[in-house]
């Protein structure tokens, strides 16, 4: 089975600072990778996805992620944090035919004024 | 277009009671999923369905049953609720396989407490 590891259950940044949320996956074949965001008391919303096209993927709200096969990583970044970015972020990987998705344990992002 | 809806939004059960959670999607999606979300554990797949009339087990299927009698609905049943099933339950769906169709659309969740 595939697995996803998110380093840091809580990350705190100042408004305007760089956001870096880490995700590493274990997979014997290049997977499909996703980042989702969850605002309080809501469902998950797709931020971006990697599907073996470009390794640098741009998503909504200014977020982007880079697929690095040699490091088995798919870290999420945003150059300048905004207060509205405060939420929980989940990295996920799917198997090749999308029967199953495996989620990381999540990282809560706090943005300080 | 309501997307993915879940009924009910909240529920409190006593140990041993049964209940059914309903997930409905109006996007004509083929695949549907049930997850549970617990603090610090992310989302874990309970059961999934790749089409009407089909179901399969996910990571944590014990204590749950599912049915997909209609393409738009995916039901999750708890036959005899236990406190360990206290969680937030999310339903999700995707249109189908292929890179263009693999975005999961999530419902708003059902918060279940088992006393």
């Amino acid at each position: 089975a595939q697995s996803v590891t998110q380093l840091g259950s809580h990350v705190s940044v100042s408004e305007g600072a760089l956001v870096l949320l880490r995700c590493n996956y274990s997979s014997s074949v290049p997977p499909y990778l996703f980042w989702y965001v969850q605002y309080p008391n809501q469902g998950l919303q797709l931020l971006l996805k990697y599907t073996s096209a470009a390794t640098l993927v741009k998503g909504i709200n200014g977020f982007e992620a880079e697929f690095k096969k040699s490091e088995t990583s798919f870290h999420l970044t945003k150059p300048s944090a905004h207060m509205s970015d405060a939420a929980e972020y989940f990295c996920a990987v799917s198997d090749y035919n999308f029967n199953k998705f495996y989620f990381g344990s999540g990282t809560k992002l706090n943005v300080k004024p | 277009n309501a997307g993915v809806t879940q009924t009910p939004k909240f529920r409190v059960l006593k140990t041993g009671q049964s209940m059914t959670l309903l997930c409905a999607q109006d996007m004509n999606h083929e695949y549907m999923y049930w997850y549970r979300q617990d603090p610090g554990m992310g989302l874990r797949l309970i059961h999934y369905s790749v089409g009407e009339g089909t179901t399969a087990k996910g990571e944590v299927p014990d204590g749950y049953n599912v049915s997909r009698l209609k393409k738009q609905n995916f039901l999750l049943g708890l036959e005899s609720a236990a406190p360990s099933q206290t969680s937030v339950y999310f339903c999700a769906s995707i249109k189908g396989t292929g890179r263009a169709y693999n975005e999961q659309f999530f419902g708003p969740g059902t918060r279940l407490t088992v006393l």
Side-chain angles (χ1 to χ4, degrees):
Chain A
Q2 302 193 38
S3 67
V4 175
T5 302
Q6 290 184 241
L7 288 177
S9 58
H10 290 80
V11 169
S12 186
V13 301
S14 297
E15 191 172 21
L18 171 72
V19 176
L20 170 60
L21 304 182
R22 300 178 186 274
C23 173
N24 289 87
Y25 66 91
S26 68
S27 175
S28 58
V29 296
Y32 295 126
L33 291 157
F34 307 81
W35 275 101
Y36 287 87
V37 60
Q38 184 181 33
Y39 299 101
N41 299 314
Q42 293 185 25
L44 279 69
Q45 177 184 349
L46 182 69
L47 271 180
L48 50 80
K49 63 180 181 181
Y50 167 75
T51 54
S52 71
T55 57
L56 182 62
V57 182
K58 295 188 184 297
I60 62 171
N61 301 338
F63 284 93
E64 61 182 37
E66 186 173 8
F67 172 69
K68 292 188 176 180
K69 184 179 177 182
S70 61
E71 299 177 6
T72 60
S73 69
F74 190 57
H75 302 331
L76 182 70
T77 60
K78 182 174 181 178
S80 177
H82 192 272
M83 297 296 292
S84 61
D85 294 328
E88 190 161 18
Y89 292 80
F90 292 92
C91 182
V93 60
S94 75
D95 61 7
Y96 219 63
N97 49 14
F98 310 109
N99 285 345
K100 298 180 181 180
F101 289 75
Y102 300 89
F103 285 80
S105 55
T107 299
K108 286 187 177 177
L109 176 65
N110 178 46
V111 182
K112 300 175 289 185
Chain B
N1 192 337
V4 180
T5 58
Q6 293 183 231
T7 308
K9 288 185 169 51
F10 302 92
R11 186 71 186 269
V12 178
L13 291 178
K14 294 181 180 178
T15 297
Q17 288 185 317
S18 64
M19 78 163 294
T20 300
L21 283 67
L22 171 63
C23 175
Q25 52 90 7
D26 60 1
M27 298 174 285
N28 200 32
H29 283 181
E30 290 293 333
Y31 288 37
M32 297 185 74
Y33 309 82
W34 274 109
Y35 295 93
R36 59 177 291 172
Q37 182 180 27
D38 303 292
M41 301 188 75
L43 275 73
R44 292 181 292 168
L45 182 64
I46 304 171
H47 286 281
Y48 65 98
S49 168
V50 300
E52 182 178 317
T54 74
T55 62
K57 294 180 180 179
E59 295 176 79
V60 289
D62 294 341
Y64 305 96
N65 57 74
V66 288
S67 64
R68 183 110 181 259
L69 299 179
K70 293 182 179 180
K71 186 176 183 179
Q72 63 267 34
N73 295 337
F74 195 28
L75 279 63
L76 178 71
L78 286 73
E79 290 185 350
S80 180
S84 61
Q85 294 177 304
T86 293
S87 187
V88 181
Y89 291 85
F90 286 100
C91 177
S93 68
I94 65 173
K95 186 176 179 62
T97 59
R99 299 174 188 178
Y101 304 126
N102 56 13
E103 174 183 351
Q104 285 194 312
F105 290 82
F106 282 83
T110 294
R111 188 173 295 273
L112 175 67
T113 301
V114 183
L115 303 175

